[in-house]
Amino acid sequence: MKLLKIFIIEDDPFFGETLRYHLKLNPDYEIYLFKTGKECLENLYLKPDIISLDFGLPDITGDKLLKKIQETNNSIPIIIISGQDDIEVAVDFLKSGARDYIVKNSHTKDILWNSIIKIRENLQLVNKVEELTEQLEQKFSFENTIVGQSEAIKNVFNKINKAINTNINVSITGETGTGKEVVAKAIHYNSDKKNKPFVAVNMAAIPKELVESEFFGHEKGSFTGADNKRIGRFEQADGGTIFLDEIAELDLNLQSKLLRVLQEREVTRVGGKERIKFNARLIIATHKDLAQEVKKGNFREDLYYRIIGLPIELPPLRDRGNDKLLLAKYFMDLFVKENKMKSISISKEAKDKLMKYPFPGNIRELKSIVDLACVMCDGKEILSDDLTFSNINDTNFFLSDEKTLKEYTSEIILHYLKKNNYYESSFIVI
């Protein structure tokens, strides 16, 4: 565990040594004792985690030293220790950025001990948030989410790069299973909004009568069942990104309300009167051709032009050539690692079989097929017979005379995995 580096600035030798001795009782603390403000400033290069600062130093007042420390690093938590039991002075220090104000008396060392514990807990929480943010950035970095070398996917990569460097709306289109939400997350977590919320809304999964409440929120008692106030998705996404998946499924009446919200950049909760401002980037996705939906009268033309922004069309897997094999290997290695299995390879015959199959379910289908093949293979290599392709729209796909018993078994397992949405995943490498 990393030691917590604490500076104590105290001109009273006895009191300073008392504080140092008391804090040294915790073996996780590394204590530095200085008698003047100058010594403190000269040693800031040691990068202390916390500074305990005496208000009445011989060479500089506590408020001036506080400002000088903040000019060097304004993120260091600073505790003021003073002989003045003055509320106004304490409030002024806290307003200036001090983390705590402690009055000198017989209990000071214990109060300081507790204050440091609270600050340390907060620092650990901040570090955990930063660590999780870094993990998200790694998870959605291009080298992890864009697997492929085909010209089709390179064009997608180029469009994503353009989206990252601007704040333009983005519209992602492509067949089911091509990785639309993954692209949206890659844009968000590689942009300057990466530390802000990413809020995803699947339009196809929300009942029509609940969409408005889901989007804009509602006040308590605004309708039957509204027992508490609800913050809508647009409010939640303030400062970050809101991702509207399957936008073409939105009802025409609600499309007009969405248009106004996007124009005004403000929402009004259902049953409320307050207009709430928000600032979020919009990314939409659909497997339908929105331009054709406009022509059919299913989608508002004015909303179409408001949301279209930078269009990114994801190619189907059948048009990505050797990317099939690169993705298959990626999913195979991932499955082996997650299940602590011995390494597996893919035979030439299995590779040929993968290359010939059109993958109507795209990347999502490929992942489920590879996962099952890893389970079904008997040795260190996935063979052709371990790969089971099934058309779930074909009622006779179990009735082929050309299949082996092993293929029947694999196909039945895969069918029921798909039927129960086992293969669904919000993280699909594209």
Side-chain angles (χ1 to χ4, degrees):
M1 180 184 293
K2 178 187 173 184
L3 294 178
L4 190 73
K5 198 175 294 183
I6 302 172
F7 278 14
I8 300 174
I9 299 90
E10 174 58 58
D11 64 323
D12 183 333
F14 176 77
F15 191 72
E17 286 295 342
T18 299
L19 293 180
R20 176 159 67 175
Y21 174 80
H22 187 65
L23 294 178
K24 284 286 286 184
L25 294 175
N26 189 325
D28 295 333
Y29 294 168
E30 185 178 1
I31 311 299
Y32 294 80
L33 178 61
F34 305 110
K35 295 180 180 180
T36 66
K38 181 181 178 182
E39 290 179 356
C40 169
L41 295 173
E42 288 176 345
N43 286 277
L44 285 178
Y45 72 92
L46 294 173
K47 298 181 178 180
D49 297 301
I50 300 174
I51 294 178
S52 169
L53 172 62
D54 183 22
F55 176 76
L57 294 170
D59 60 335
I60 187 172
T61 59
D63 54 342
K64 290 182 179 179
L65 181 55
L66 173 66
K67 290 179 181 178
K68 286 184 176 294
I69 294 171
Q70 290 174 333
E71 287 172 2
T72 303
N73 186 341
N74 63 2
S75 65
I76 303 174
I78 299 174
I79 301 169
I80 304 296
I81 296 181
S82 172
Q84 298 186 37
D85 188 5
D86 190 322
I87 294 178
E88 290 186 5
V89 173
V91 170
D92 287 341
F93 269 110
L94 294 174
K95 284 182 177 179
S96 298
R99 191 62 60 88
D100 204 351
Y101 184 93
I102 300 174
V103 178
K104 276 187 179 181
N105 55 40
S106 58
H107 303 294
T108 299
K109 63 182 187 299
D110 296 319
I111 297 172
L112 178 62
W113 179 280
N114 291 328
S115 180
I116 289 174
I117 289 175
K118 291 179 181 178
I119 291 174
R120 188 181 195 187
E121 289 174 349
N122 185 62
L123 288 173
Q124 289 173 337
L125 180 60
V126 170
N127 290 336
K128 186 63 177 177
V129 170
E130 291 177 350
E131 180 184 334
L132 291 172
T133 300
E134 184 179 347
Q135 289 175 4
L136 278 174
E137 291 172 11
Q138 292 174 354
K139 181 177 180 181
F140 294 104
S141 63
F142 288 141
E143 58 265 29
N144 288 335
T145 55
I146 307 295
V147 175
Q149 299 175 355
S150 63
E151 288 302 317
I153 207 64
K154 285 180 181 178
N155 182 52
V156 171
F157 185 90
N158 182 50
K159 292 282 187 71
I160 293 175
N161 252 325
K162 293 182 183 298
I164 287 170
N165 295 321
T166 65
N167 198 34
I168 190 173
N169 291 342
V170 178
S171 55
I172 306 170
T173 56
E175 296 178 6
T176 300
T178 50
K180 293 186 285 293
E181 184 169 347
V182 173
V183 170
K185 288 180 177 179
I187 292 171
H188 173 79
Y189 288 112
N190 287 278
S191 72
D192 57 4
K193 297 181 181 296
K194 61 187 176 183
N195 295 322
K196 298 295 183 179
F198 176 88
V199 178
V201 185
N202 186 343
M203 304 307 308
I206 306 174
K208 175 183 173 182
E209 60 273 13
L210 296 180
V211 172
E212 192 171 356
S213 172
E214 191 76 16
F215 269 8
F216 315 131
H218 62 250
E219 298 292 348
K220 182 179 179 180
S222 56
F223 54 85
T224 303
D227 298 327
N228 296 290
K229 180 175 73 174
R230 176 186 175 86
I231 303 300
R233 296 302 186 93
F234 278 88
E235 280 187 76
Q236 294 173 25
D238 186 38
T241 300
I242 184 161
F243 173 58
L244 304 183
D245 197 7
E246 298 301 345
I247 188 71
E249 306 304 317
L250 184 61
D251 181 77
L252 273 171
N253 292 329
L254 289 169
Q255 288 178 26
S256 61
K257 294 184 179 181
L258 175 60
L259 176 63
R260 179 169 181 177
V261 165
L262 294 177
Q263 288 173 336
E264 303 296 329
R265 289 285 165 175
E266 62 182 23
V267 297
T268 302
R269 298 189 193 119
V270 176
K273 296 180 179 179
E274 180 187 2
R275 293 183 176 181
I276 303 163
K277 292 286 185 181
F278 74 93
N279 179 24
R281 178 183 204 160
L282 176 68
I283 301 179
I284 64 101
T286 177
H287 70 279
K288 295 182 178 179
D289 185 331
L290 276 185
Q292 289 298 319
E293 292 301 303
V294 171
K295 290 180 180 179
K296 293 176 184 177
N298 297 329
F299 203 83
R300 291 179 61 107
E301 185 176 5
D302 46 6
L303 179 58
Y304 171 81
Y305 289 117
R306 170 65 63 174
I307 66 176
I308 196 67
L310 173 64
I312 300 177
E313 184 176 1
L314 301 186
L317 187 55
R318 61 183 174 274
D319 293 343
R320 291 180 55 180
N322 287 333
D323 286 355
K324 292 179 184 179
L325 300 183
L326 294 174
L327 284 161
K329 184 180 186 308
Y330 175 87
F331 289 132
M332 179 187 68
D333 292 343
L334 185 64
F335 188 88
V336 167
K337 181 179 179 181
E338 289 177 346
N339 291 276
K340 299 179 180 178
M341 298 168 62
K342 294 181 179 180
S343 60
I344 301 173
S345 61
I346 305 177
S347 70
K348 183 181 182 304
E349 293 75 16
K351 290 180 180 178
D352 292 340
K353 192 172 181 179
L354 286 171
M355 290 299 295
K356 292 175 182 177
Y357 184 65
F359 288 99
N362 291 295
I363 300 164
R364 185 176 289 140
E365 183 182 13
L366 172 62
K367 184 179 187 302
S368 66
I369 289 170
V370 170
D371 286 354
L372 183 57
C374 290
V375 175
M376 299 304 295
C377 73
D378 295 324
K380 297 180 179 179
E381 188 176 48
I382 293 176
L383 304 176
S384 177
D385 287 349
D386 298 319
L387 297 171
T388 303
F389 305 139
S390 59
N391 183 353
I392 60 175
N393 297 316
D394 183 358
T395 57
N396 296 315
F397 72 89
F398 288 140
L399 306 178
S400 171
D401 293 333
E402 299 177 357
K403 295 175 183 173
T404 64
L405 178 60
K406 186 174 182 180
E407 285 180 312
Y408 274 123
T409 304
S410 298
E411 207 156 284
I412 291 169
I413 292 172
L414 181 59
H415 171 73
Y416 283 100
L417 287 176
K418 286 184 176 181
K419 184 177 179 181
N420 291 282
N421 294 322
Y422 168 82
Y423 68 99
E424 292 287 350
S425 173
S426 63
F427 179 62
I428 304 172
V429 175
I430 70 169

